[in-house]
Amino acid sequence: MRKCLLITAALLASLPAGGAAAAWQPNRPIEFVVTSAPGGGTDNFARVVQAIITKYKMVEQPIVVVNKGGGSGAEGFVYTKTQAKDPYKLTFGTNNAYLLPYVAKLGYKPAELTPVATLAVDEFLVWVNGASPYKDVKSYIEAVKAKPGVFKASGSQSKDTDHILTSMIEDATGTKFIYVPFQGGNATAVQLAGGHVDSNVNNPNENVGHWKAGTVRPLCVFSPTRLPGTAKVADDKAWSDIPTCREAGIPIDQFQMPRTVWLPPGVPADAVTFYADILEKVTKTPEWKEWTERNLQTPRFLAGKAFTDFIAEDDAKNRKVLEAQGWMVK
Amino acid sequence: MASRFQAELATALGTAAFGAVVVAGAIEYGIGWDSAGPEPGAFPFYVGILIIVASLANGVQALAQHRALAAAGFLDGPHARRVLIFMALSVAFVILASLLGLYVAAVLYVAAAAWWQGGYRPWVGAACGIATALFFYVVLEKAFQVPLLKGPLEAALGIH
Amino acid sequence: MDNIASLFYGFGVALSAYHIGLMIVGVLLGILVGVLPGLGAPNGVSLLLPLTFAMDPVAAIILLTSIYWGALFGGSTTSILFNIPGEPSSVATTFDGYPLAHKGEPTRALSFAFLSAGFGALVGVIVITLLSSAVARFALKFSSPEFFAVYLLAFCSFVGLGGASPFKSIVAIGFGFAFGAVGMDSVSGSLRLTYGFDELLAGISFLVAVIGLFGIGELILTVEQGLELAGIRARISPRDVLSAALAMPRYWVALLRSAAVGCWMGITPGGPTAASFMSYGLAKRFSRNRDKFGTGEPEGIISPETADHAAGTSAMLPMIALGVPGSATAAVMMGGLMIWGLNPGPMLFVERPDFVWGLIASMYLGNVVAVILVLATVPLFASILRVPFALIGPVIVVICFVGAYTVGNHTFDLWLALAFGLVGYVFKKLDYPIAPLVLAMVIGDKAEDAFRQSMIMSGGSLSIFWSNGLVATLTCAALVLLFWPLIAAGLRRLPGLLSTGRRTPAA
């Protein structure tokens, strides 16, 4: 009898600790809210996660992907906010989750979203047209400096990551570009390949096809260390042969865009942990490794405090640029 | 009930009002032309102005042809009644859909419309409505995983 | 020729029982999503995308493109039968397809649509096969000023038609531009015309507008006319399919012109929707039967359908060779390419010839499969028209609203569709033209972006639209088309003027 009681007590004691991860389980279909149109970067991100979760049966319940990409993704975040306390809406985005409300009047505040995790970061490079004379970023920056307001830097959207980074380059090097916003990274890549603009700051996977064709050339990467990947891609160069921008002469240490996951406000803490655990498992699968390698993203899993710290830091850094450029909405 | 003249004039006023709303919305974003080309509000602003001007022209044209248009019919008794019933049913459908979800609203709407407007026996309409809802459930929800708006009934039945 | 050899190699890759099976499955799925308004090819493709991760890229792209072909065909079905465009690109098919079907000839209308669509697709693939590298180089020459000129050209070839009052046309066009401008302005990165409503920040969906203006608007008209009890005595006989097929060669001018327009718009890329409008506009302007347009003229079905499919297929080329998706569906497929580890770009032809040529070969096969399957569905769909309107009408209303909802999962869109329905009804009754409104909505936003990008590039100088041969030609062609009625009248009067000039030199 005593023994029995002891075991029961031990079981009871162990429950809250051991059962924490299992305390919340989904019992109906989960909705992945994608803050981009079908085919966009965030859409691919969410669908890869969905495919991996389904393949390894990490969740018993089916997953439905819903695209809400209007207003540069604001549509999805506003929707998430209105779905308060619903732990079945997992929202996929980038750092636009906390940057969009700075530049546009929107019906949500970043603090209203519940951060879950970031799974990877996108890298940014400086690219010039393949026929241009610039073989390194120093000579390009000097040419821009000599003729302020003549060189055209292009990017995806306005007041978004590409635009912010272009402004940071201008500040760091004392140059002045004409910034031309296009719809999406692919359009930006083609405009550079066609020689209609002078440079862009695209992610590797947006420009690699044109690099292979020799119509664009990478100059440097905004990462603290060089990219992995020693196989030759084009021009007898590998990704690892591209210098970091810091070593090549632009004093910006790091500029990356996180791929982030959120939940609506007021969801149980257990649900957040549940999803963070699942997503961490996703990042450990071979499929995820293959996907990040193919897309030249840098895997970086952050959840909990590490993630909120990352957000605070990234937010402050970007906010500084937005304020300096006068893009903050009143 | 309403003559063509009244309809023309009312529509011209309506489109002019819409133009004014566009202009009011556009002014907020700057309507000038700076070194980077037109400002965000410029294009909607001129579009709004264009709508207002053309609407006024339509109004003037209607006034000029007053006699001919006043004689022409736009909507008379039985036609208007049918259109009004249709609109009322549609509004009811949208309200029901917002409250009870699209499936329940679809069943009720198809049943009611076939019964009242079509003169079918109630069970024919109801069967048709249920068949429509089931079709959407199978095709959209199950096959294409496109969730439709759901309400309390689905929640009670445990359908998500 | 190298390309022909590569094509045969491609057929070797694509021709297998497994691939043909995938085509059939894909086309059938595509027809289904195409038929349902709101649910479109992007839905079908993105739904199956996760399934393809484990597949070989060639098999995967065959499956996804087959859905696209099926959806392009299926989209015309509801346009013709119910005046509800199942896909954005089949709006122009309603103009003559719906009247022809309601004259009691749905079989002929559908057959014309599908056969000309098949022809357009064929021309599109042939262009890709023979001219792939030249076309890819040509497409690289396009920047914002050229895009603006392309949109201007499409627009000018369409407006200024019809007997509607010019002021009413202006109001309609203005409405289209205004609706298109709602939401995020990508050039400035700020929201416009949302008036603080979160429901408007994603903009007003073109599909919701079209479902309302055409679908619900037409339903109100039908109800008003009191056709409650009448089903249409639609003649359905397989012989009609054959007779339509035999009549096709008669329209060779329209077919070739529309195919050319379609390929041009697919590559540049103006997209299939703008292509179908432009093609319809040109047909109406230059056809001998131009007076019959809008009343069920076969040429008015053939022209937009041919251009739509020629654009849809030829848009695959910029997608593979440059990574520019020419349509929403192509954008999803490009996501697929990335997921399968293929980087679109000119080198894809060299690195993965099996993929590229397998895809091109499958486009021939897939469209043949699609035409056969879709023609087989004609009697089935045409027989729907025999169901009494009192029963099918309410179901169509529900289909319209469900379609409007599935576009973006917004309850607000239900109200929007209803409002558009009322606008469509009133506009139609008062002879405000709806088609220019729709076209303005499709290209207004893009044209404005292109215009403002050009202005940023040129520092605010309009001369950029005449800055090189290509853009100058496009701009001039657009202006000629815009003023064509005046020019044509001038040309007609010219001999007379000259002779009168000779007679009375003093005057």
Side-chain angles (χ1 to χ4, degrees):
Chain A
M1 187 64 200
R2 242 185 81 140
K3 207 175 167 187
C4 197
L5 266 179
L6 262 181
I7 291 172
T8 318
L11 272 177
L12 278 175
S14 71
L15 254 183
W24 188 86
Q25 283 288 339
N27 58 13
R28 56 187 177 89
I30 298 162
E31 195 174 302
F32 278 14
V33 180
V34 174
T35 56
S36 83
T42 302
D43 185 58
N44 292 345
F45 165 45
R47 286 183 201 273
V48 167
V49 171
Q50 179 205 15
I52 293 173
I53 291 180
T54 317
K55 181 175 177 190
Y56 289 96
K57 300 197 172 56
M58 295 174 183
V59 180
E60 295 294 317
Q61 294 290 334
I63 295 167
V64 179
V65 180
V66 176
N67 290 88
K68 289 192 179 287
S72 302
E75 182 194 356
F77 296 118
V78 170
Y79 173 74
T80 310
K81 178 216 157 176
T82 60
Q83 303 296 310
K85 299 190 176 135
D86 182 352
Y88 291 91
K89 314 273 179 194
L90 202 60
T91 304
F92 288 72
T94 63
N95 54 4
N96 60 356
Y98 43 90
L99 296 183
L100 272 173
Y102 287 136
V103 297
K105 257 184 272 178
L106 296 172
Y108 82 97
K109 291 188 192 65
E112 287 171 321
L113 305 175
T114 309
V116 179
T118 185
L119 275 68
V121 292
D122 282 15
E123 303 288 352
F124 290 78
L125 286 83
V126 175
W127 304 81
V128 290
N129 182 276
S132 71
Y134 315 110
K135 306 280 181 202
D136 55 72
V137 79
K138 206 164 206 143
S139 60
Y140 178 60
I141 290 295
E142 263 154 30
V144 180
K145 209 182 268 180
K147 286 193 211 160
V150 171
F151 282 78
K152 294 177 200 115
S154 64
S156 167
Q157 316 284 359
S158 227
K159 302 175 189 168
D160 202 26
T161 43
D162 288 2
H163 202 175
I164 292 174
L165 178 54
T166 306
S167 307
M168 286 170 76
I169 299 173
E170 288 180 338
D171 275 357
T173 58
T175 48
K176 186 87 196 102
F177 290 97
I178 300 176
Y179 179 80
V180 192
F182 291 100
Q183 283 283 10
N186 296 312
T188 309
V190 174
Q191 290 301 311
L192 182 61
H196 305 291
V197 294
D198 298 293
S199 66
N200 68 27
V201 286
N202 264 357
N203 307 134
N205 67 343
E206 292 164 337
N207 271 25
V208 62
H210 300 282
W211 184 23
K212 286 178 183 169
T215 46
V216 302
R217 180 186 304 141
L219 296 183
C220 69
V221 57
F222 291 97
S223 162
T225 54
R226 290 188 178 201
L227 293 174
T230 47
K232 302 284 177 227
V233 182
D235 301 341
D236 203 33
K237 274 191 174 172
W239 289 109
S240 59
D241 293 328
I242 304 167
T244 66
C245 287
R246 163 68 80 183
E247 62 180 290
I250 299 181
I252 296 172
D253 285 325
Q254 191 171 3
F255 190 87
Q256 291 161 325
M257 183 177 73
R259 297 277 172 196
T260 57
V261 182
W262 307 80
L263 277 167
V267 295
D270 287 354
V272 181
T273 321
F274 171 81
Y275 286 115
D277 288 349
I278 298 276
L279 292 170
E280 187 167 17
K281 273 189 217 155
V282 166
T283 59
K284 298 214 166 107
T285 59
E287 282 82 2
W288 179 257
K289 290 206 175 75
E290 198 188 334
W291 154 252
T292 50
E293 267 165 35
R294 278 178 178 177
N295 274 280
L296 305 149
Q297 289 178 319
T298 306
R300 183 180 305 157
F301 183 82
L302 297 172
K305 172 101 169 49
F307 183 37
T308 44
D309 288 349
F310 174 88
I311 295 172
E313 190 196 329
D314 191 52
D315 183 61
K317 201 161 70 179
N318 284 296
R319 190 193 159 118
K320 217 168 73 191
V321 180
L322 298 176
E323 272 171 352
Q325 296 292 330
W327 293 340
M328 304 285 276
V329 76
K330 279 135 251 147
Chain B
M1 206 172 104
S3 75
R4 172 89 185 218
F5 172 71
Q6 289 164 323
E8 289 277 2
L9 208 57
T11 307
L13 286 176
T15 53
F18 177 83
V21 171
V22 172
V23 168
I27 286 174
E28 224 180 294
Y29 302 98
I31 53 166
W33 183 297
D34 57 16
S35 64
E39 287 180 293
F43 177 70
F45 175 77
Y46 290 111
V47 165
I49 295 287
L50 206 63
I51 294 175
I52 295 175
V53 171
S55 302
L56 292 180
N58 283 330
V60 169
Q61 223 163 32
L63 287 172
Q65 302 167 5
H66 176 212
R67 196 160 307 168
L69 289 175
F74 178 73
L75 256 187
D76 56 15
H79 289 125
R81 206 174 63 88
R82 280 198 289 262
V83 170
L84 282 178
I85 290 181
F86 179 87
M87 286 309 290
L89 276 176
S90 300
V91 170
F93 172 73
V94 175
I95 293 173
L96 276 178
S98 321
L99 298 175
L100 303 177
L102 273 166
Y103 292 110
V104 177
V107 174
L108 294 177
Y109 175 83
V110 173
W115 182 29
W116 288 335
Q117 276 195 302
Y120 281 89
R121 261 164 288 185
W123 68 266
V124 177
C128 204
I130 291 169
T132 312
L134 274 179
F135 170 77
F136 278 125
Y137 184 71
V138 171
V139 171
L140 294 180
E141 208 90 22
K142 289 289 149 199
F144 286 102
Q145 297 183 358
V146 177
L148 284 191
L149 194 62
K150 291 182 209 72
L153 181 68
E154 287 90 346
L157 291 174
I159 302 169
H160 297 287
Chain C
M1 240 173 114
D2 275 359
N3 286 1
I4 302 287
S6 307
L7 180 65
F8 277 103
Y9 164 68
F11 273 113
V13 175
L15 260 181
S16 74
Y18 173 53
H19 288 156
I20 303 279
L22 286 178
M23 281 177 207
I24 295 175
V25 171
V27 166
L28 288 176
L29 269 176
I31 294 176
L32 189 59
V33 291
V35 163
L36 292 171
L39 198 63
N43 293 90
V45 172
S46 47
L47 176 78
L48 290 191
L49 199 56
L51 283 185
T52 63
F53 294 174
M55 287 166 83
D56 164 56
V58 179
I61 193 80
I62 287 178
L63 179 63
L64 297 190
T65 49
S66 299
I67 295 178
Y68 188 29
W69 312 141
L72 281 177
F73 281 101
S76 322
T77 307
T78 36
S79 295
I80 290 173
L81 296 182
F82 305 119
N83 209 35
I84 313 167
E87 294 281 303
S89 58
S90 40
V91 172
T93 310
T94 61
F95 303 158
D96 277 283
Y98 182 69
L100 185 59
H102 279 251
K103 278 190 205 162
E105 301 198 68
T107 319
R108 267 185 79 218
L110 288 170
S111 305
F112 275 129
F114 295 150
L115 290 168
S116 49
F119 176 80
L122 186 68
V123 175
V125 205
I126 291 176
V127 166
I128 294 187
T129 310
L130 298 180
L131 303 172
S132 51
S133 49
V135 163
R137 266 198 311 275
F138 177 65
L140 265 188
K141 290 197 196 315
F142 277 71
S143 187
S144 306
E146 287 82 6
F147 288 136
F148 177 73
V150 166
Y151 295 130
L152 190 68
L153 183 64
F155 194 71
C156 292
S157 62
F158 192 78
V159 297
L161 297 165
S165 127
F167 295 116
K168 288 182 174 174
S169 298
I170 292 173
V171 168
I173 292 168
F175 268 53
F177 282 137
F179 292 138
V182 174
M184 185 61 83
D185 166 39
S186 68
V187 175
S188 69
S190 56
L191 290 164
R192 289 192 304 189
L193 302 183
T194 57
Y195 305 95
F197 289 106
D198 284 339
E199 287 86 354
L200 286 176
L201 72 93
I204 294 177
S205 159
F206 168 69
L207 266 169
V208 173
V210 160
I211 287 173
L213 288 169
F214 288 88
I216 298 177
E218 185 63 33
L219 281 163
I220 305 179
L221 273 179
T222 314
V223 169
E224 185 207 311
Q225 298 310 316
L227 292 175
E228 280 119 326
L229 295 172
I232 286 164
R233 266 191 309 252
R235 203 152 49 93
I236 299 151
S237 90
R239 205 174 295 162
D240 273 4
V241 178
L242 196 67
S243 86
L246 292 176
M248 289 294 284
R250 240 188 288 155
Y251 301 102
W252 64 275
V253 180
L255 282 168
L256 290 180
R257 181 187 51 227
S258 308
V261 168
C263 292
W264 161 256
M265 294 300 275
I267 289 159
T268 48
T273 311
S276 58
F277 274 97
M278 183 173 170
S279 176
Y280 186 89
L282 290 177
K284 191 167 174 184
R285 194 161 290 184
F286 296 114
S287 164
R288 260 175 298 155
N289 300 326
R290 67 180 81 94
D291 304 335
K292 289 195 208 133
F293 271 63
T295 62
E297 164 66 30
E299 221 177 313
I301 303 173
I302 290 170
S303 301
E305 279 294 311
T306 311
D308 171 10
H309 283 242
T313 35
S314 56
M316 301 299 287
L317 183 67
M319 181 191 104
I320 325 169
L322 297 173
V324 202
S327 66
T329 321
V332 186
M333 287 189 225
M334 262 202 26
L337 254 62
M338 302 275 195
I339 288 169
W340 309 322
L342 301 173
N343 293 111
M347 294 312 280
L348 197 60
F349 282 82
V350 181
E351 286 173 350
R352 292 296 300 269
D354 61 324
F355 175 81
V356 173
W357 289 103
L359 166 62
I360 293 175
S362 83
M363 287 161 73
Y364 286 93
L365 299 171
N367 275 296
V368 171
V369 170
V371 171
I372 294 171
L373 286 178
V374 86
L375 280 177
T377 65
V378 166
L380 173 73
F381 283 120
S383 62
I384 297 178
L385 282 192
R386 286 185 173 172
V387 179
F389 183 78
L391 210 53
I392 197 83
V395 177
I396 300 175
V397 173
V398 171
I399 290 179
C400 283
F401 280 115
V402 167
Y405 180 80
T406 49
V407 169
N409 291 30
H410 300 142
T411 313
F412 178 70
D413 281 347
L414 299 175
W415 291 109
L416 217 48
L418 191 59
F420 273 113
L422 205 56
V423 171
Y425 166 70
V426 172
F427 273 24
K428 203 149 184 192
K429 284 214 74 162
L430 297 179
D431 301 320
Y432 283 79
I434 297 176
L437 188 165
V438 176
L439 182 64
M441 210 173 159
V442 176
I443 62 175
D445 194 30
K446 293 187 204 164
E448 189 202 350
D449 279 357
F451 181 80
R452 287 165 61 199
Q453 284 158 358
S454 311
M455 288 299 103
I456 293 174
M457 289 177 168
S458 71
S461 160
L462 285 172
S463 64
I464 194 166
F465 297 113
W466 282 270
S467 60
N468 63 52
L470 177 62
V471 67
T473 314
L474 288 171
T475 313
C476 291
L479 293 178
V480 166
L481 275 172
L482 182 64
F483 296 110
W484 180 252
L486 291 179
I487 295 170
L491 286 177
R492 266 199 306 277
R493 231 175 278 159
L494 200 57
L497 276 180
L498 285 177
S499 56
T500 45
R502 237 177 277 126
R503 253 182 280 129
T504 52

